[in-house]
Amino acid sequence: MTDEARPRKPSPPSGRAFGGAALRRAAMRTWVLRVGSSILIWTAIMQLTSVWQPRLPKSWPAAACFDNRGAVAASSGVPNATTNLSVLGDEEHALSGSLSSPPALLPRRIYKSNGYLKVSCNGGLNQMRAAICDMVTIARYLNLTLVIPELDKTSFWADPSDFGDIFNVNHFINSLRNEVKIVKTLPSKFDKKMQTEPFSMPPVSWSSEKYYLKQILPLIRKHKVIHFNRTDARLANNGLPVRLQKLRCRVNYESLRFTPEIESLGNKLISILHKSGFFVVLHLRYEMDMLSFSGCTHGCSDKETEELTRMRYAYPWWKEKEIISEKKRLEGLCPLTPEETTLVLRALGFTRDTLMYIASGEIYGGEKRMAALRASYPKIVRKEMLLSAEELRPFHNHSTQMAALDYLVSVASDVFIPTYDGNMAKVVEGHRRYTGFRRTIVLDRRELVELLDRLQDGKLSWDQFSTAVKEVHKNRMGQPTLRTVIPGRPKEEDYFYANPQECTGPYRSLSVESRGLDM
């Protein structure tokens, strides 16, 4: 048999070829296992994070922006390095979590406290509100521990309410725990004298942060506890670092919530008013104390003028005694009377069927002084007309709590019109700017009294008067604007809490309902 005819055994595969195939199969199995494991691990992680996540505050003023309707849009960022306000000592200050996380308890800021700050606020609700924001900011800047503020109980209003009767204490403490430690009382380690009689002083008005760093901090380090016995306007309007200004906003708009009882009743008022549609809040600042202390008696009888003057002299802490009423009025320093307010509202275009909510205390002169306003606007209401006596009973003899109800309604209204630029008018104006530049008509009283007098003297027709009033106020509707800065004259420049421009994001031309000037 020849070699060609002899059958041949198949040749076995070479060792090199066999080994290469086995390695490829092993590598493929390893890759499949890794991919499968990764998918399982990520699936497990996603399941866990859907159940539990660290949480951030509902919103962050520094990142707030506004949509075209003036509503607050979703927060679009987290605090960056500039949020760290400390200028003293080492600290641990960080936020963890996800932007999509629901709100929860913030991580506590860890820092070495330089001492305790006690404060006694003075004035009415909104003067104290602004002061509390300043005191938190100062405590944060100096690395202090803040004791829950004491509220004014001795002023004209004589309201016995404590902080916890007006504001939600636990929310106040917890919402700021990543900024400053706040305690309800001084620790027991301090002796009784230091608790009741700490080193007490009023800080210098309209001071910058440098004043507190250079003048106040050494005193705190020496005494361990310091008491500010006056808190109104103790921090400058302008020239402060933006991070401090944003903290003032955060305290005001995020941390200072009213008690659940006040919030609930305020929301009920707002709901009742909204059911009727469009409504205006008129902050008619024509109460006895305002007229007495301002010396504004235009339209009052001789008997009323004498009564208001006696009251002013009865309060020794009120320094300005001799006041020329008409001079102040012509300078625009008096609240408009109810009669003057009626003419201005008509000139601005508010029609007879406009629902008007009066936010104020008892009007001096009673229904007699309200007659002209009611004749032109019969749909005038007050909280006492919308709520039952039983609902309001817990608030009687607590003017500050009653003012809190008016505050909530004022912020939520379609239009807010104050007849005097007091603390409530300014703070509400700023709150409405912060929530989307909602329409606030800031009356130019100096121009108005001149126009009103010319109308009364027959020097202007009604149409001329109405046109002039609208022209004066076309740029005083709460639009985005920069604060006026007057170096060396802080009392005369624009108030921070009326226009917290550092906290309102980029200025935009927001669309506002056409109702108001041309109703």
Side-chain angles (χ1 to χ4, degrees):
M1 183 178 291
T2 63
D3 289 339
E4 288 79 2
R6 186 181 294 119
R8 296 180 178 178
K9 295 179 181 179
S11 301
S14 67
R16 179 180 298 174
F18 180 84
L23 287 171
R24 284 194 296 274
R25 285 194 295 274
M28 179 62 72
R29 283 196 298 271
T30 302
W31 181 82
V32 170
L33 285 171
R34 286 178 177 174
V35 171
S37 300
S38 298
I39 291 171
L40 287 172
I41 291 170
W42 278 109
T43 301
I45 290 173
M46 293 303 293
Q47 291 293 328
L48 285 171
T49 54
S50 68
V51 176
W52 175 86
Q53 286 184 346
R55 290 144 73 173
L56 285 174
K58 289 182 180 178
S59 61
W60 195 270
C65 58
F66 303 94
D67 63 20
N68 289 330
R69 296 164 299 174
V72 178
S75 180
S76 59
V78 295
N80 55 27
T82 61
T83 307
N84 185 345
L85 307 184
S86 178
V87 295
L88 306 162
D90 296 328
E91 65 177 78
E92 181 182 309
H93 179 190
L95 289 175
S96 61
S98 158
L99 277 177
S100 61
S101 314
L105 202 61
L106 292 167
R108 190 186 302 279
R109 172 174 168 256
I110 308 300
Y111 64 98
K112 182 180 178 181
S113 176
N114 287 311
Y116 288 81
L117 176 60
K118 290 187 68 176
V119 296
S120 294
C121 299
N122 57 291
L125 172 65
N126 293 285
Q127 183 171 311
M128 293 192 291
R129 184 187 183 103
I132 292 165
C133 299
D134 287 353
M135 294 301 109
V136 170
T137 302
I138 291 164
R140 175 62 175 87
Y141 181 68
L142 298 181
N143 278 342
L144 306 177
T145 299
L146 178 69
V147 181
I148 287 290
E150 299 172 351
L151 302 189
D152 191 338
K153 297 180 176 65
T154 61
S155 64
F156 170 82
W157 301 275
D159 189 333
S161 299
D162 291 318
F163 186 96
D165 297 320
I166 299 171
F167 299 108
N168 187 324
V169 176
N170 289 334
H171 176 76
F172 179 68
I173 294 172
N174 291 332
S175 66
L176 291 166
R177 57 184 269 134
N178 70 327
E179 294 289 359
V180 63
K181 184 177 181 180
I182 303 173
V183 296
K184 295 180 181 179
T185 58
L186 276 175
S188 57
K189 67 180 180 181
F190 293 100
D191 61 37
K192 188 173 293 186
K193 182 177 180 182
M194 186 173 287
Q195 289 190 12
T196 57
E197 299 178 25
F199 177 77
S200 186
M201 63 172 289
V204 175
S205 300
W206 310 112
S207 294
S208 73
E209 82 282 9
K210 296 180 180 65
Y211 162 79
Y212 289 95
L213 180 64
K214 295 177 181 178
Q215 303 294 324
I216 301 301
L217 183 60
L219 292 173
I220 294 175
R221 283 177 167 157
K222 176 182 178 182
H223 297 280
K224 301 304 179 186
V225 180
I226 193 168
H227 172 227
F228 289 164
N229 53 25
R230 292 189 69 84
T231 59
D232 59 317
R234 304 294 146 167
L235 199 55
N237 289 314
N238 301 295
L240 298 179
V242 172
R243 61 188 184 274
L244 295 182
Q245 300 286 55
K246 288 182 176 179
L247 180 57
R248 295 168 92 178
C249 292
R250 180 180 171 188
V251 181
N252 198 13
Y253 308 124
E254 302 291 334
S255 300
L256 277 180
R257 288 186 187 170
F258 295 119
T259 63
E261 294 78 13
I262 293 174
E263 294 270 354
S264 176
L265 206 55
N267 289 335
K268 182 175 181 177
L269 279 170
I270 294 165
S271 177
I272 293 170
L273 291 162
H274 274 314
K275 284 178 182 176
S276 299
F278 179 90
F279 76 96
V280 175
V281 166
L282 180 64
H283 184 41
L284 190 59
R285 195 71 169 94
Y286 202 75
E287 298 111 330
M288 186 176 185
D289 63 298
M290 163 53 64
L291 301 179
S292 175
F293 297 138
S294 67
C296 297
T297 57
H298 180 76
C300 294
S301 66
D302 291 342
K303 183 179 179 181
E304 290 172 329
T305 300
E306 183 181 342
E307 180 183 39
L308 294 170
T309 303
R310 278 200 312 270
M311 177 181 171
R312 183 167 65 251
Y313 274 88
Y315 284 85
W317 47 264
W318 191 261
K319 296 178 182 178
E320 189 180 15
K321 301 296 186 184
E322 291 293 329
I323 301 174
I324 303 174
S325 174
E326 202 56 33
K327 181 175 182 293
K328 288 196 73 171
R329 177 177 176 269
L330 293 175
E331 292 173 350
L333 300 177
C334 288
L336 295 182
T337 68
E339 296 86 355
E340 292 172 331
T341 301
T342 303
L343 294 173
V344 170
L345 291 173
R346 288 175 53 200
L348 286 170
F350 289 99
T351 54
R352 180 177 173 82
D353 63 345
T354 302
L355 178 60
M356 293 267 180
Y357 177 93
I358 304 297
S360 71
E362 184 178 349
I363 300 301
Y364 187 64
E367 284 302 311
K368 179 181 177 182
R369 294 308 302 266
M370 291 290 289
L373 189 58
R374 285 196 181 279
S376 293
Y377 297 99
K379 293 174 66 176
I380 283 179
V381 295
R382 301 174 63 97
K383 51 185 171 292
E384 292 84 357
M385 299 169 61
L386 301 177
L387 299 173
S388 69
E390 186 63 31
E391 288 173 310
L392 284 173
R393 184 168 289 112
F395 300 91
H396 285 166
N397 300 318
H398 294 86
S399 58
T400 310
Q401 295 181 46
M402 294 287 260
L405 294 173
D406 284 342
Y407 182 94
L408 289 169
V409 177
S410 298
V411 171
S413 64
D414 294 288
V415 181
F416 176 65
I417 309 174
T419 61
Y420 184 74
D421 58 349
N423 287 295
M424 177 167 170
K426 292 175 180 176
V427 177
V428 168
E429 178 189 353
H431 203 147
R432 290 171 65 82
R433 285 180 180 277
Y434 179 80
T435 55
F437 301 102
R438 306 173 90 171
R439 176 164 289 187
T440 301
I441 304 179
V442 182
L443 300 178
D444 187 334
R445 295 186 306 282
R446 186 167 186 167
E447 291 284 343
L448 282 175
V449 295
E450 181 180 346
L451 291 172
L452 286 162
D453 287 348
R454 291 175 67 192
L455 175 68
Q456 185 176 0
D457 293 341
K459 296 178 181 178
L460 286 178
S461 68
W462 175 257
D463 287 343
Q464 290 172 325
F465 173 75
S466 180
T467 299
V469 169
K470 289 176 182 177
E471 181 64 25
V472 166
H473 294 93
K474 66 180 181 180
N475 294 320
R476 299 174 69 90
M477 295 282 166
Q479 303 98 321
T481 184
L482 294 174
R483 286 196 307 272
T484 299
V485 181
I486 307 176
R489 291 154 62 190
K491 290 183 180 180
E492 299 174 37
E493 64 187 9
D494 288 347
Y495 188 46
F496 172 81
Y497 290 104
N499 183 14
Q501 63 191 39
E502 295 88 344
C503 311
T504 53
Y507 299 126
R508 301 182 181 184
S509 298
L510 302 177
S511 61
V512 184
E513 291 184 28
S514 60
R515 307 182 72 168
L517 282 180
D518 52 355
M519 285 186 172

